[in-house]
Structure formats: C-alpha cells, structure tokens
Amino acid sequence: MIIKLTKIWLCLLVLFAFVKTNAQQLKGKVLNTKNQPLEAAYIYNLNSKSHAHSLETGTFILNDTKVGDSIKIGLLGYKTKIIYLENVQEYITIQLSEKVYSLDELVISEQLNALSTVTDLDLNTNPVKSSQEILRKVPGLIIGQHAGGGKAEQIFLRGFDIDHGTDIALSVDGMPVNMVSHSHGQGYSDLHFIIPETVNKIDFGKGPYYANKGDFNTAGYVDFSTKDYLNNSTISFGLGQFNTSRVLGMFNLLDKVNNQHAYVAIENLQSDGPFESPQNFNRLNMFGKYVLFTPSNDKITLTASHFTSTWDASGQIPVRAVNSGLISRFGAIDDTEGGTTDRTNFNVSLTKQVSDNTIFKTNAFYSNYNFELFSNFTFFLDDEENGDQIKQKESRNIFGLNTAFTTETFLNDIEVNLNYGLSFRYDISNNNELSKTINKTTLNEAVQLGDINQTNTSAFFNTAFTKGKFTFTPGVRLDNYKFIYKDKLSNTGETLSEGKTIFSPKLNLFYTANNNIKWFLKSGIGFHSNDTRVVVTNTQENILPKAYGVDFGNIWKPTQKLLLNTAFWYLFLEQEFVYVGDAGVVEPSGKTERYGVDFGIRYQFSDYIHFNTDATYTKARSTAEDEGNDYIPLAPDFTVTGGLSLQDYKGFSGSINYRYLDDRPANEDNSIVADGYFVTDINANYTIKNITFGVVIENLFDTEWNETQFATESRLQNEITPVEEIHFTPGTPFFIKGVISYKF
C-alpha cells in the first residue's frame, strides 16, 4: 500500500516539475537581532503583490521580483521592515527587531493559520503559569483534575466529555501524546511532562478537517512546539498554601555559538492539596534541547526529556456522604487511592530544503512509559467486605517516525501548495493489567492481564490551490492498523489479531474578502481507533468508527484593536464500542450528533492591556435514543473562558482569568445534573532589573465548585442498597502562592 502511494506522489512531483514557475526569484533569510531564524514571517512585494512566508529555518523564496521593487517583511511581535531591492540575484538576510505584541499590527491575510494566531496572542500577552494552563490556552477547551494531581486531566471540547483524550489528538514537537489501548482508557493523554515555560507555540484546529492529522482527531487537535532557544537563563522558586512548592531552572548552554542552540530545564513540583488526606504529590521534570543549523540551512533538532510523578488521592466522593456529615467536601471514603507514572522521550528531527520549492521534514521518536493507578469509584458496591478498589498498570514502549514534504509552485497563475507524507507508530504495552486490590498492597482478583501490540502506518496528501481571494484545499488520508492481543489469563494462551484500513477525505474552502476578514467552509471525515481488546473481540463491528464534520465561520478584524472569530459547526459520530478501563468491559454507544457555535473576542485597550474571551454553545444528543433519554452524559452545552492581562507596564505584568461551565446532564435522561461553576484566578508580577516577584491566586473569590463530576452507582459500607448520584472531586478553594525568579 505504501509503495503504491509513494509511486503516486512521485508521479505528481514529476507532473508539477513541468508546471510554469516565475523565473525571477528573491531568496533570503529572516533572522532576529540574535541571528536566530524566524518562522512564518510574511514577505510581500509591494509592487508585484507576490508574497511568501519564511520557513522554520528562516529561509524564503519570493517570486516575481525585480530590481527596484519594495519588499515588506512583517511578523507579529517584531517591527515591520521595508527594503528596496538593488540586486535580485543576491541572497539577502533580513533582521527584525523584537517588540511588544500589538493587535493593531495583525493582518489576517498575512497569517499561515489565522485561528492559531489567537493562541500566539494569548501566549505572549498572558504566558502560562502551570501545566494545567497549557491546554486552557485552546479557545473553548475546559479541563478538570480528579485523582491527586498526577493523573491526566479530563478534557471537554465541543460537546465532548473527551475523558483523558479519546477525541482530541495531542502532540509535542511532532511526538504523539495520546496512548492507544491504555490501561485507564483509550487515548489517555498525560501532558505533565511539558514544562510550561518551554512552550513556544500552540497550534490547534477544531473538527476532523486536516489530512496530516489522524487518530483521535474528531473534536480537534492541539500541537505544542517547544522553544528552540532561551533568551536568558532563569531560576524560579514558588511557595504556596497546602505545602505547595515549585522549583524551576532553565539554563542556556550555547549563548554565543553561531548557528547552534542548547538548553536544559528542570522542574520539581510538590503539594499536599487542600484535602484532609495529603496528596503527597511530587513531580520531577527534566528537559533538554539542542538545535543545529548547518551551512546549507538544514535544521537538526535533538530533544530528550524525563518526567516522573507520585501521588495519593482522596478520589471522587458521593454527594450524600457530604450532605449527611459523614465526610467534609475535602474528605474521603477511600483515601488509599493514588499512583505513580513516568515517561522518558527521545526525539530527533530534520528540516531540509531539498530544492528551491520543496521542504522535507521528518522526526523519529521513542518513548518509554510506565503507569500504575489505584482507584475506587463504587466503594462497596461489588465487594461488601474488601471494597471495590482497582489497580490499573502497564509498561509501554513507543517507536515512531513522521515524514512530510511541502512543495510550493504555480499552475499558470494559480498558486499551488502540496503537503504529503508518511507516518509510522508502533506501541508495545506489556502486562496491561486490571486487578481488584485491597489498600494498594493486596491483590484480590486479576480481572485482565495481557500484552498489546498495535501498529499504525499512515499516509496523507493535501493540496491548496489559491487564485485571487479563494483557496481550495482538498486532501486525503489513509490509515492502516494491526491490532494484536495476548490474553495472559486465558487457559488457551491464544493470541488474537485484527487488521483494518480507513480512508479519510477532507475538503476545505477559504475566502479572503480583504486583509482583515477571512471566511472558511471546512468539511472532512475523521476517526479514533478503539482499544485493541475491543477490536479483537468485536471483529464484525465498526472498530474504526468515523466522524463526519462541517464548519462554517470567519476570523474578522473590524477595527485595529478588535479581533473576532466565529464558527458554526456540526459533527456526527458512527456507532462505536468503548472500552471501559475501570471495569475491563466493553460498552456500546450509539450514533451521536453535536452542533453548535464558537465565538471569540480579542481586544487591545492599550499597548499594555489585552482582553480575551471565548464562548461556546453546543447541543449534543444520541440519535439512537428517544427524545428525553438522548442526552450525552457530561457533554458541556455552554462554556465561557477569558481574561484581562497587563503586559510589561513599568515593570508590572499580570492577569485576571475566568472560566465558566454551565450545568450539564450527568446521565441519559438528565435526571441527574452536574453543577456548573464560575471560577476566577489572578496573578501579578513586578520586575526590578533581572528579578521578578510574583503572586498567584487561584479561586480568588473562594467559590465552592466541583472540578469533576460523574453520575455513579455506589454503596457505602453502612448502606443496604446502592445509590446512583453525583460523585465529585472538589475544586481548589482560595489558594495563594508567591514566586521569585531571577534571569541571568
């Protein structure tokens, strides 16, 4: 299959080799004042109206140029420059000076991905302060933690309770975060190995419309890119309530070496949390990155990271236990929950300009991952004597490779962009375990134990044809899977396997009405894979259920200081089988549909004060059930997030941020409701020379809120019959932390 696709691409490349291109070209490179390359700078010929963007290496090729033309070079966060061409034949180097981000300088038509520019603005005007804030930078995305701080967050987006990552594709520097066939649930995504201060860019897209995105890209995708270099070395110390402390060190290793960058970052975070039983949470992160630019402008990147977490947890508690006075909001029914996890990553990437019009990018990665989690969701429902505690455990190795070519050319007067590539991922998860335990120490019963091997080979081809104000982007994707499972509890010792291939077409249309408004109509088919244990036991079913989506909207800048984005969307999901890791069983869920509207505002009051807010409304229903019994549990229907930030004003900076999640159904007939909440956080900083003093306050108004909630049937030890009701993890009460940082 891959050989055939490769032959097709080669034929297409030969075809486009004969396509007419403009003979006169200006070649050059865009750098900052430290001679570091700048990506996505917009290069525009004021005379011929031709344009280009700088690549990751800073290089660009501008067609249709001649002596005497004036060239404008701009990039958000840098001073715009205009140069006069005296010689087209020479290779030019353009240097841009950094400046404060200003919304009035944003030109929508100049952006490679206009919607992702929103996160660029937010990151630079209101930097992330914790690993939890990284995902919150995605407009409309809500997260919740419910197991002691060390477990991956629960994610909500576009009417999905995504759990820990089932319907959103997450990656860091081209390395996937989602874990297939995970012991705790499909797509489990633990982002805690990211040190927030190393994040340079967040690229995101909602819906299944992107040919280069595969598994889990139904509600959307988020790609994180880490910094290639540090402007300064930094040491930071933070102390807060609940025995909370954070130590951070980021060290620039090659400050004065031309064409090379290297740095390391180390983070340690500890906290007991507000719970009566201390969390004893401890996380250690180590990250290192080396970047080399060769004389031929190739970029080689090596990254290595390791993270480990240990924690105890009070778990989710039933409302009736709190209302009766049996426990407080921060008490526990079973405080022996908790876990340990670690992940080690190695990633090497190469960006190479193979011709004037073609860029090749590839990365190879390896991850070693270990996970052990103890939970108790139902207390004494199944086992009246020992309780219902379970252990989920696995050890995993992941091997992968991504390749992509980007070719820019012309078909007569039509600008053509080709993007195509291959990917490979191989997961080996040994001793994937679900067991019933007592107090973390005693094995009561082995429920599941087996070895999982899963292989995903994929190919994509995406095109973009631009003529005038219209851009037409058809694309296709092909994914092939091989699922293998060896059940170690089976008497036969049989190894089960299954293969599956899925084809995913995409079709998008963009209309740039003028420099400050762009309309889009997106459509496509996506999917998420099911757990290997589901696939090999349900071979006749739809084991790779599809998601059909469409988006219509725009990004609009009606005034110099106001940016709006709007999207009306629809998403339909086929029948699928869901593996419930907490019970080791398979539960069918019928066809579902979701539709809604996303709306975002960015407004700059002055050079220093920025405002942002994002609101979403969604209706999510099961199409296989009668009206009134067709609610999708925990699907958010209305959310609002936003804030007001102060950026570098006479040494002061800070922000006030809010998030609102409406009441939502917790079960299919909406007879049990998960309460909504409105929470406000604030931070303030003051810098004197190289020292910054800061204070962070979470839940400024000490709101009583539930961070995560589930409708669960449980039985307490003194109860005769079980009860189904809300079980919740309380949100953090008023919490204050002081921080001091030193840059050198």
Side-chain angles (χ1 to χ4, degrees), residues 648-669:
D648 297 330
Y649 178 72
K650 296 182 179 181
F652 289 95
S653 64
S655 65
I656 181 167
N657 301 291
Y658 55 85
R659 57 190 184 275
Y660 171 75
L661 180 62
D662 197 11
D663 294 349
R664 59 201 191 280
N667 61 352
E668 289 79 1
D669 63 3

Side-chain angles (χ1 to χ4, degrees), residues 26-33 36-47 50-55 58-62 65 69-86 91-99 105-107 110-111:
L26 175 67
K27 299 179 182 180
K29 192 173 188 177
V30 184
L31 306 172
N32 64 11
T33 53
Q36 295 155 334
L38 294 176
E39 183 182 6
Y42 185 73
I43 302 95
Y44 180 67
N45 189 319
L46 294 172
N47 300 93
S50 62
H51 67 273
H53 286 91
S54 61
L55 304 172
T59 58
F60 69 89
I61 297 175
L62 183 64
T65 59
D69 285 351
S70 295
I71 309 299
K72 176 184 174 183
I73 305 96
L75 180 63
L76 203 61
Y78 291 83
K79 293 180 180 178
T80 299
K81 179 176 284 190
I82 298 177
I83 62 173
Y84 178 80
L85 283 185
E86 297 180 353
Y91 187 92
I92 66 171
T93 299
I94 302 163
Q95 203 170 57
L96 299 182
S97 301
E98 195 168 356
K99 64 182 293 294
E105 296 178 352
L106 172 65
V107 180
E110 296 179 358
Q111 305 305 311

Side-chain angles (χ1 to χ4, degrees), residues 2-27:
I2 299 304
I3 294 174
K4 290 181 180 179
L5 286 169
T6 304
K7 290 181 179 179
I8 293 172
W9 290 340
L10 289 174
C11 291
L12 286 169
L13 286 177
V14 171
L15 172 65
F16 279 99
F18 291 98
V19 171
K20 176 183 175 182
T21 59
N22 293 304
Q24 261 189 319
Q25 295 178 326
L26 175 67
K27 299 179 182 180

Side-chain angles (χ1 to χ4, degrees), residues 698-730:
E698 296 181 19
N699 196 357
L700 176 65
F701 302 110
D702 199 21
T703 300
E704 187 176 283
W705 64 293
N706 298 336
E707 187 162 7
T708 58
Q709 302 173 76
F710 302 89
T712 305
E713 184 181 36
S714 68
R715 192 171 74 87
L716 303 178
Q717 197 166 23
N718 61 345
E719 291 180 329
I720 299 175
T721 58
V723 178
E724 183 181 18
E725 65 171 354
I726 288 293
H727 292 56
F728 69 95
T729 299

